[in-house]
Amino acid sequence: MPSLVPRPWLYQAILSGLSFALGYWLGSTMSWLWRFMELPVIRDRWRPAILGILLATLLTHLAYHLWYAADWQNSTRQLMGMPAVEGIYYVRILLIASAVAASLLLLVAGLIWALRTAAAVPRRYIHRRIASVIGVAAFLVLLINVVNGTLVSYAITALDQVQAAVDISDPPGVSPPTRSTRSGSPDSLVGWDGLGQAGKRYVGEGPRAQDIAAFTGQAAMEPIRAYVGLRAADDTETQARLALQELRRMGAFSRELLVIATPTGTGWLENDALAPLEYMFEGDTAIVGVQYSYLPSPFSLILEPGRAQQSASIVFNVIYDYWKSLPVSERPRLYLFGLSLGSLGSETSAPMYAFINPPIQGAIWAGPTFRNPLWSRIQANPHADSPAWQPEFEDGSLIRVIGPQEDGEELHRGWGPVRIVYIVNPSDAISFFDERMWLREPNWMKPPRGPDVSPLFEWVPVISFFEVMMDMLTAGNVPPGHGHNYSAREYTQAWQAVADPADWSTADTDRLVRFMPTSDE
């Protein structure tokens, strides 16, 4: 069945196999409970006929779903401008799903056998029921300790080592910068190898002064891009101090705008998200990022809970304390930025007083995770007339949620002194996953739905939970402006709303999106 984003056949097969196994386990548990309670059972003479009816119903149901599987997936792909799936789609699903289901059932069967064996040993010495409880409890304690204490620890260490080794390499086509306005240059306080792979890509991308001049037709400044990788310092506090020194060396606090950008898990910063600001303000900008993990965002979120928030908070406080010590007339406007897991760190980095005295000027948080506390609050308390996939919060003077269908001319009106914009696509599972979907239909599934969410997507208890969970794994593998893939146009409109560049129009946005070499549009 369709969900928020099209699923590759392999992911669909895994989901189908998991669903089958869950259904089987549920049925087996109910059957055991029925027998345990000694309730009436079907008579033997009726059993073959009833089983035949159930089997025929099951096969008909399965054939129906397999027949329409490709059409259902295509209903979402069409909304996102993606090509239709191949005709063999359902055959692959059936084969792999069967293997996944069989593997899961065998795994649980092995676990049940182990539990029974563990329960049988103490029965030789003590009462049968007491022995069963003690044996099962001992086995479960041992299993949990082995998994948590050994397997998980080993997996985390191994994964971190692999990602750390990858982090050393240079991205294709990127070389150390020569301009002093980029970290990793000969004048930089951070060596090229201290940037990490994502940091090297970040300082290697983005417009230079000549690129901006070619777009604006006027002379431009060299944009400042500062970055500190994990290898550049021993701890986050030292990283933050090094980032501040790097900004001061570059003259960042004399620029018109300063952006503290919190990266995603590996340290990646989206160029299409930051370059529009550099074009808008003719290079009179400074953007700084600090790496906090070698792991991709999903692994960092699960295996390193709180790491992004802790790093972002320390970096913000160090830079903010220096920024607020400067004369008001001489310091740059200060903004925050974060994408995905970076938005979670950035959202929680600034304490309340940073929005009051002296206040930062605003923030852009794209693709917020379902764990973001402020984003969750906005979803829980929307304006009554706004759709759940684009909630309006209070009077809109402080926080606004925008998507791919925005009118850029309207976005910069009616703001208060601080401007915060969330960029959220209606089909982004990372933003709209709801842990209560087990037994409750989320509001964003109710009409009116987002423009890129299939009307054929139906809520089914338990199953929809796993569908959207699986969507999170492939949420970025869609065209820009859908799922967890945010477009240069969306970022440009957001910066227009938050930073309010002089004389910027929708036509300028269109021209910039066409001009930017890194744009996916």
Side-chain angles (χ1 to χ4, degrees):
M1 288 161 43
S3 51
L4 286 176
V5 295
R7 283 190 297 273
W9 67 268
L10 181 59
Y11 285 82
Q12 176 61 65
I14 294 173
L15 178 60
S16 297
L18 175 62
S19 300
F20 182 92
L22 285 172
Y24 183 87
W25 293 329
L26 178 62
S28 297
T29 302
M30 293 174 63
S31 178
W32 173 85
L33 183 62
W34 189 274
R35 294 193 304 271
F36 180 81
M37 297 175 66
E38 298 181 350
L39 297 173
V41 296
I42 300 172
R43 295 181 180 178
D44 291 341
R45 62 178 180 176
W46 294 348
R47 194 181 299 270
I50 293 177
L51 287 177
I53 294 173
L54 289 175
L55 183 60
T57 303
L58 172 63
L59 292 176
T60 302
H61 187 69
L62 178 62
Y64 172 81
H65 277 262
L66 287 174
W67 181 263
Y68 284 101
D71 291 340
W72 284 332
Q73 287 298 304
N74 287 335
S75 71
T76 304
R77 300 176 76 90
Q78 185 177 7
L79 291 174
M80 298 184 179
M82 299 174 67
V85 297
E86 301 173 359
I88 201 172
Y89 181 80
Y90 65 92
V91 177
R92 291 172 173 172
I93 291 173
L94 183 60
L95 293 176
I96 302 299
S98 300
V100 170
S103 300
L104 291 173
L105 294 177
L106 288 173
L107 178 64
V108 173
L111 180 61
I112 293 173
W113 174 84
L115 286 171
R116 288 175 175 172
T117 302
V121 173
R123 290 177 189 169
R124 304 171 187 173
Y125 311 103
I126 55 180
H127 189 274
R128 179 173 62 87
R129 293 186 182 275
I130 297 177
S132 297
V133 172
I134 293 175
V136 169
F139 176 80
L140 290 177
V141 169
L142 178 63
L143 180 64
I144 292 172
N145 284 333
V146 169
V147 171
N148 285 341
T150 304
L151 295 180
V152 173
S153 177
Y154 177 79
I156 293 174
T157 301
L159 183 60
D160 191 66
Q161 290 175 346
V162 170
Q163 289 298 126
V166 173
D167 193 63
I168 298 175
S169 61
D170 293 349
V174 176
S175 58
T178 57
R179 295 175 173 85
S180 63
T181 53
R182 305 265 166 162
S183 291
S185 68
D187 298 325
S188 175
L189 302 176
V190 184
W192 177 247
D193 290 334
L195 296 178
Q197 187 181 59
K200 293 173 183 178
R201 182 181 299 278
Y202 162 69
V203 299
E205 293 177 328
R208 273 51 173 184
Q210 65 267 26
D211 301 316
I212 299 173
F215 173 74
T216 62
Q218 304 180 57
M221 301 177 67
E222 283 291 345
I224 290 174
R225 288 198 173 193
Y227 194 90
V228 178
L230 275 172
R231 288 186 176 82
D234 295 331
D235 54 69
T236 305
E237 182 74 28
T238 308
Q239 281 183 292
R241 297 291 175 190
L242 184 56
L244 176 60
Q245 295 174 25
E246 184 78 337
L247 289 172
R248 294 182 64 183
R249 178 192 68 79
M250 296 177 178
F253 293 94
S254 64
R255 295 298 176 101
E256 184 173 353
L257 287 89
L258 170 62
V259 179
I260 302 175
T262 304
T264 60
T266 57
W268 178 65
L269 288 170
E270 169 65 84
N271 183 64
D272 276 8
L274 302 172
L277 185 70
E278 296 168 322
Y279 281 102
M280 284 178 167
F281 288 88
E282 299 177 354
D284 196 6
T285 59
I287 305 172
V288 59
V290 174
Q291 183 185 19
Y292 54 83
S293 177
Y294 295 122
L295 303 179
S297 292
F299 294 107
S300 181
L301 180 64
I302 297 171
L303 303 178
E304 302 173 323
R307 186 78 173 269
Q309 298 94 307
Q310 180 188 38
S311 173
S313 178
I314 293 173
V315 172
F316 174 83
N317 286 325
V318 167
I319 296 176
Y320 176 78
D321 286 346
Y322 178 79
W323 172 82
K324 71 178 182 180
S325 70
L326 301 174
V328 176
S329 60
E330 298 179 12
R331 66 192 181 205
R333 289 189 279 159
L334 181 60
Y335 295 91
L336 303 179
F337 172 80
L339 165 64
S340 192
L341 184 58
S343 75
L344 174 58
S346 183
E347 184 187 288
T348 57
S349 66
M352 183 61 67
Y353 62 78
F355 293 91
I356 302 173
N357 186 32
I360 64 172
Q361 277 62 61
I364 290 178
W365 294 317
T369 74
F370 64 95
R371 295 279 190 188
N372 284 42
L374 183 54
W375 168 240
S376 298
R377 181 181 175 185
I378 293 170
Q379 287 183 291
N381 300 280
H383 192 281
D385 298 330
S386 61
W389 44 271
Q390 194 172 4
E392 295 177 10
F393 186 68
E394 298 180 345
D395 63 355
S397 61
L398 173 63
I399 300 174
R400 297 182 188 178
V401 180
I402 70 172
Q405 309 295 329
E406 294 298 327
D407 180 358
E409 301 291 346
E410 294 292 332
L411 285 176
H412 67 281
R413 298 190 179 99
W415 285 101
V418 178
R419 306 182 179 193
I420 299 175
V421 164
Y422 282 93
I423 311 175
V424 184
N425 291 326
S427 54
D428 190 347
I430 293 175
S431 295
F432 289 108
F433 177 73
D434 189 340
E435 292 161 315
R436 296 166 295 181
M437 286 183 66
W438 281 98
L439 295 173
R440 195 191 75 170
E441 181 181 12
N443 290 331
W444 52 263
M445 288 194 68
K446 300 172 183 177
R449 289 185 176 180
D452 60 351
V453 177
S454 172
L456 301 178
F457 182 17
E458 298 179 6
W459 177 75
V460 179
V462 180
I463 299 301
S464 293
F465 175 90
F466 285 104
E467 282 184 318
V468 178
M469 180 183 289
M470 191 69 69
D471 286 342
M472 288 196 287
L473 299 178
T474 58
N477 300 333
V478 291
H482 302 285
H484 202 58
N485 189 4
Y486 291 87
S487 67
R489 181 179 302 279
E490 292 173 284
Y491 288 121
T492 304
Q493 291 175 335
W495 284 119
Q496 179 186 0
V498 169
D500 196 19
D503 302 321
W504 190 271
S505 66
T506 300
D508 293 320
T509 296
D510 294 337
R511 193 164 60 90
L512 178 58
V513 169
R514 293 192 299 269
F515 180 85
M516 282 176 54
T518 58
S519 174
D520 290 319
E521 292 195 358

